Amino acid sequence: MLRPIDLSADAPWKQRLRAPYISETSRASRNPARGLAVSNKSGVIQLYAWNTETNELTQLTDDPAGVGDGAISADGEHIYYLRDRRGDEIGHYARIPFGGGEAEDITPGLPEYASHFLAECASGRALGFFAADADGFHFFVYDSARKIPIFSLTKQGLAFGPLLSQNAEIAVIASSEKTGTAEYVLEAYDVDSGELIAELWDGAETGVIPGEFSSALGDLRFAGSSNAGGFHRPFIWNPRSGERQDIQSAQFRGDVKFWNWSPDGGRLLLRQISEARHSLYTFDIADDRVRVLDLPDGVPYKGSGFTPNGGIEIHFDHSAAPPRLVELGGEKGAIMRDIIDLGVNVPAGTPWRSVSYQSTDGASIQAWLATPPGAGPFPTIVHTHGGPTAVMVNRWAPDAQVWLDHGFAFLSLNYRGSTTFGYDFQHAIDGDLGALEVEDIAAGVEWLIANGIARRDAILKTGVSYGGYLTLLALGMKPALWAGGMAEVAIADWTLMYEDQAETLRGYQRSMFGGTPEDKPEAHRKSSPITYAEHIQAPILVLQGENDTRCPARQMRVYERRLKELGKSIEVHWFDAGHGSLDNEEFVEKKEKLLRFAYQVLGQ
C-alpha cells in the first residue's frame, strides 16, 4: 500500500537529499597541512580549501552548476579544476589560490577540450593532464614554473593519464590502442626525450588499471593492477628497470586493486571488491605481508590514504547512512574517528541486503534489495546503475530511500557488463550492448514476482546514464513487464549520440562496440532504444540535461519526437546543466517529479 506523497518541508526524504557530505579529499604531497575537499556543504557541490590541522573548510568555487572534481598542487598553493559551461565538461583547466581569488586559465593557448585527469608530480616540477577533442587524446606534461609543455603525445583510442613519477622523469599513459576494447595497456615514456621506454600488458583478453608512482622522491616504482587471471590483482612495476612484483594472497577474492602508497613507499593500501562487496588491505612490501582492515559492512571511498601520522584517511558510507570522512588506525585498522563534522543528522534509511537470482540463460546475477515495512507484494522500483563498467554497491543512496519511505520495494541489479564479477561477466556485452542486460533485468522482475516482493501490475523501471539507457531499452524490448519508466540523462540513439558527444566518450563508445557507427551500423541500430519505440506500452518520464556532452540533447529530442509520432506517452523535462545536477534543490525537485509520475501511472 503506497503512502501519500510527503511534500512537507522537513520530509525525511528531503532531509536525506539535502544532507551535507564530503565526497572527495586529498592532501598536498609536500604540504599535508593543506588539502582539497569536494562538498555540497553550500547546497551545491563545490571545491573547498581544507586546513587539515583545524579541519576548517573554505569555499573556493561558486559555479551555479557546481564543480565535482579537482586537484591540489604539490605545495598546496593552488587548486586545479576544469572550468566548463554549465556542466558541459568541455573547457580549460584553471587554478585558484588556496587562499581564494580569481581562477587563472593554465592552458590559454589550447582550443577547448574535454578531460577528467590532471595531477602534479610530488616535487612540483611538472603538471600532467590530457585534453581530448575530435583529433584524439592529447597528453601534456607542463613545466610548472614556466607553464610550457615539456612533453606531449596524441592517442587515437580511449586513453588516460599521464601519471608522473615524483620528479616527472617518467610519464605513464594507459592506452586502449592495442586492445581495441575498454581495457588498457600501460606505456611509460621518458619525459625529457619523449621516447617510449617500457610497456606493461599481459596479453589478449586482459587489461591493466593504472595506479600511481611511489610517493617517495627518486622512487620509480609504479603500482597498478592486471586482470590476467580473470580478476584484478595488484602489482609493483619499475618501468626503468623492468622489475615487476605481483601481489598475491590467499585472502584475496574478486577484484583487488591498488589504492594508495604510504609516504615512505613501504606500504600499499589495496581495495577489494568481490561481487559488489568491499574490503581494504594493507601490503607491507618488505615483509610481503597482507593485512585485512577491520571495516563494518559498507563502502570505502578513496580519501588521502596513508597520512604522515601513520593513520589512513578514507570516506565511508552504507545504504542507511551518509558518507563520513574517517581515520583508520590501531592494530586492526578499524575506524578511529570522524575527521570533519558537518553536523549531519538525518533520518536513518532502510538497509539494503544482497540477493542473487538466475538470469534467463542461467547466469547468476547479484542485486541489492530493500523493502518497506509490512508484507508484500509491493509496488516496486527496478534500478540499473550507470557505466556499464561500474557496479552498484551497498552505498548511501538517498534517492532509493525516497521510494522506500513511500511504500515501494527497491531492487538495484548488477547486470552483465558490471565490474567485480570477473572478466567474462564484464565483457559478455561487448559488441552487443543492451541484449544481455535486458535479459538480466527481465529475470530480476520475474524473481521479484515469484518471491512475493513485487506486484506484477506495479513495477517501474529507472536508472541514470547507462542505467537510463537500459530503462528505455527494457521498456521497448520487454514492454509487458512495466507500468512505467523513468530515465535520467539517458541514451536513446547510439548513432546520434556519437555524432554529438565529447571525444572522451566517443573513445569509450568505440571500445564497447568495436568501432564507430559507420563501422558497425547494425550493432548501433540493434542496441538503440529508438529502434524499439513502436513496442513501448508504458508511459515514460525523462529528465535530461541541456548541456550534457555524455548523453547529448539532440538524440533525446529525436527520441521524444518519434514516440509522440507513434502516439506513445512521454514527458521530457530539461534542466540547465550537464550530465546530472550537483545542486541539492534540483535533486529534491527531480525526485518530486519522479514521485508524482510514479503515483500518476499507478493511479494513486
Side-chain angles (χ1 to χ4, degrees), residues 3 28 65 104 116 261 302 326 348 351 472 499 511 520 562:
R3 302 163 199 163
E104 172 195 6
H116 52 81
W261 285 90
K302 192 171 183 180
V326 299
L472 301 181
E499 293 176 4
S511 72
K520 305 278 186 177
R562 174 62 176 152

Side-chain angles (χ1 to χ4, degrees), residues 170-186:
I170 299 174
V172 169
I173 290 170
S175 169
S176 66
E177 285 184 339
K178 280 192 174 181
T179 68
T181 69
E183 299 286 358
Y184 289 133
V185 175
L186 298 187

Side-chain angles (χ1 to χ4, degrees), residues 45 195 345 524:
I45 295 177
E195 293 181 1
N345 184 20
H524 283 76

Side-chain angles (χ1 to χ4, degrees), residues 377-392:
F378 306 99
T380 299
I381 303 296
V382 175
H383 171 268
T384 44
H385 65 74
T389 48
V391 61
M392 177 55 75

